[in-house]
Amino acid sequence: MSEQKKKTTIVLFSGDYDKAMAAYIIANGAAAYDHEVTIFHTFWGLNALRKEEHPALKKGFLEKMFAKLMPKSADKMGLSKMNFAGMGPKMIKHVIKKHNAMTLPQLIEMAKEQDVNLIACTMTMDLLGLQQEELMDDIDYAGVAAYLGEASEGNVNLFI
Amino acid sequence: MSEQKKKTTIVLFSGDYDKAMAAYIIANGAAAYDHEVTIFHTFWGLNALRKEEHPALKKGFLEKMFAKLMPKSADKMGLSKMNFAGMGPKMIKHVIKKHNAMTLPQLIEMAKEQDVNLIACTMTMDLLGLQQEELMDDIDYAGVAAYLGEASEGNVNLFI
Amino acid sequence: MSEQKKKTTIVLFSGDYDKAMAAYIIANGAAAYDHEVTIFHTFWGLNALRKEEHPALKKGFLEKMFAKLMPKSADKMGLSKMNFAGMGPKMIKHVIKKHNAMTLPQLIEMAKEQDVNLIACTMTMDLLGLQQEELMDDIDYAGVAAYLGEASEGNVNLFI
């Protein structure tokens, strides 16, 4: 029988552009090495999966506040350091272009092409008032149990 | 002989309400799946274990400063994002209530009931001037060696 | 045949003094327990490896900005919490001295003496415009593939 695939799991908790980049760079690297890779998006990390255009949704007051105040997509995220009211992300995107590196939306696209398993945490979606219509189409929805199932067999498990 | 229990270890470094919630949600999930779970509280994560009422303690100037400026209990922690001078935690606690989810103090209580091993890092307690009298009663005290002993046999090891 | 050494790998993403301290304390602990230890410095974590004195280097505008705005060495890093415009690190260094604990530069020195493998991520060096001349002498340079090679055999893998 063939050897089992190695597993890499990442909890993406952070809503920062740089941290999400690190998560997706590791995930894409692991997928290229034929690991089975899962990124479990929870809390502010869910914003990486938001799409800017979506149907109008009925929301309560706090849910509207969160939706308005959180970054509206991966491309809109700020930096964990040196954000400078939005200048930091512009600087980073400029150097990414200059060095022919990949932007966060490109890294996410690549992860999908490599069959990285993108999961949105349903419990924190509820808390932040995010609905499936606001998130990308080809992702999965699950809770902490599904994450633990993967992670307990994982070779590399990270919380970012 | 029966199979050995799976182990999950979490270093809780962060003193943010949302990050501590994530740590305790994962810990409680792992305990429910019969993992042996340890949360090693270090640096700002020690604040999750502080109790608001405690005997008056003799402290030096810097230790008093830290004690005054750090959140005085799990319930008093701020958010890692969108804290808005304390409005953020109020919003989160409101949606937690609305969705019948658990607050951080409730998650900590549940972890104790499920025999999650709560450890306070003695070295960083010294640095921040925290004394055992200020922390919850039913926790353990240890250093990095104890953490590494657990983690090197762990299936899921996270730094939060 | 003798048993294989346990492996500990840490991705040091953070440029905060306290988080880097935690990373190096865990790394030194693991090395003392005879683990093979790797710290992979990426993004802001690269600043822990900067040396203050180095030859003048030719840099573009953005690279100069990053070099100027980022902490110029481990000793110059700020805190993740309670930084208070630089007062926080002074407080921490004061209590470190008082308790005969080790400062971050001392912890890094110890890690080198214990043969902890210090790696600078070449991809993010490019992005932030950091050159080998600016970093410590006795470190290695590698990309995400090298990290994943170590981590997939690791017993303890952390992202800090």
Side-chain angles (χ1 to χ4, degrees), chain C residues 128-147:
Chain C
L128 302 179
L130 290 171
Q131 300 175 26
Q132 296 202 7
E133 288 81 356
E134 294 169 83
L135 302 189
M136 293 171 180
D137 295 321
D138 34 6
I139 61 172
D140 290 322
Y141 296 88
V144 70
Y147 162 68

Side-chain angles (χ1 to χ4, degrees), chain A residues 72-139:
Chain A
K72 278 174 197 58
S73 68
D75 191 49
K76 297 287 189 296
M77 289 173 159
L79 292 185
S80 66
K81 284 275 149 189
M82 309 211 302
N83 195 50
F84 301 131
M87 265 306 292
K90 288 212 183 74
M91 283 168 70
I92 285 285
K93 285 172 200 170
H94 193 92
V95 290
I96 286 172
K97 213 175 195 173
K98 183 173 163 186
H99 290 282
N100 291 315
M102 294 171 88
T103 62
L104 180 54
Q106 288 170 331
L107 287 166
I108 296 174
E109 215 40 60
M110 190 194 213
K112 286 183 185 172
E113 283 163 20
Q114 292 198 97
D115 290 322
V116 171
N117 193 16
L118 304 184
I119 300 182
C121 168
T122 45
M123 196 210 96
T124 46
M125 282 177 66
D126 274 358
L127 284 188
L128 301 179
L130 290 170
Q131 301 175 24
Q132 297 202 5
E133 287 81 356
E134 294 170 83
L135 302 188
M136 293 172 180
D137 294 321
D138 33 7
I139 60 172

Side-chain angles (χ1 to χ4, degrees), chain B residues 38-77:
Chain B
T38 298
I39 307 181
F40 186 78
H41 300 73
T42 188
F43 282 90
W44 322 109
L46 287 166
N47 292 315
L49 301 177
R50 285 175 84 184
K51 48 183 185 194
E52 293 190 57
E53 306 291 329
H54 59 79
L57 297 166
K58 248 186 121 161
K59 293 201 179 194
F61 175 70
L62 279 174
E63 287 78 2
K64 266 188 206 151
M65 286 273 284
F66 275 119
K68 200 171 178 62
L69 295 170
M70 295 191 302
K72 277 175 197 58
S73 69
D75 192 48
K76 296 287 190 294
M77 289 172 159

Side-chain angles (χ1 to χ4, degrees), chain A residues 44-77:
Chain A
W44 322 108
L46 287 166
N47 293 314
L49 300 177
R50 284 175 85 184
K51 49 183 186 193
E52 293 189 58
E53 306 291 329
H54 58 79
L57 297 167
K58 247 187 123 161
K59 293 201 179 194
F61 176 70
L62 279 174
E63 286 79 3
K64 266 187 206 152
M65 286 273 285
F66 274 120
K68 201 171 178 66
L69 295 169
M70 295 190 303
K72 278 174 197 58
S73 68
D75 191 49
K76 297 287 189 296
M77 289 173 159

Side-chain angles (χ1 to χ4, degrees), chain B residues 71-128:
Chain B
K72 277 175 197 58
S73 69
D75 192 48
K76 296 287 190 294
M77 289 172 159
L79 291 185
S80 67
K81 286 274 149 190
M82 309 210 302
N83 195 50
F84 301 131
M87 265 307 292
K90 287 211 184 77
M91 283 168 71
I92 285 285
K93 286 172 200 169
H94 193 92
V95 290
I96 287 172
K97 214 176 195 173
K98 184 173 162 186
H99 290 282
N100 291 315
M102 293 172 88
T103 62
L104 180 54
Q106 288 170 332
L107 287 165
I108 295 173
E109 216 39 61
M110 191 194 212
K112 287 183 185 172
E113 283 163 20
Q114 292 199 97
D115 290 321
V116 171
N117 194 16
L118 304 183
I119 300 182
C121 167
T122 47
M123 196 209 98
T124 46
M125 282 177 65
D126 273 359
L127 285 188
L128 301 179

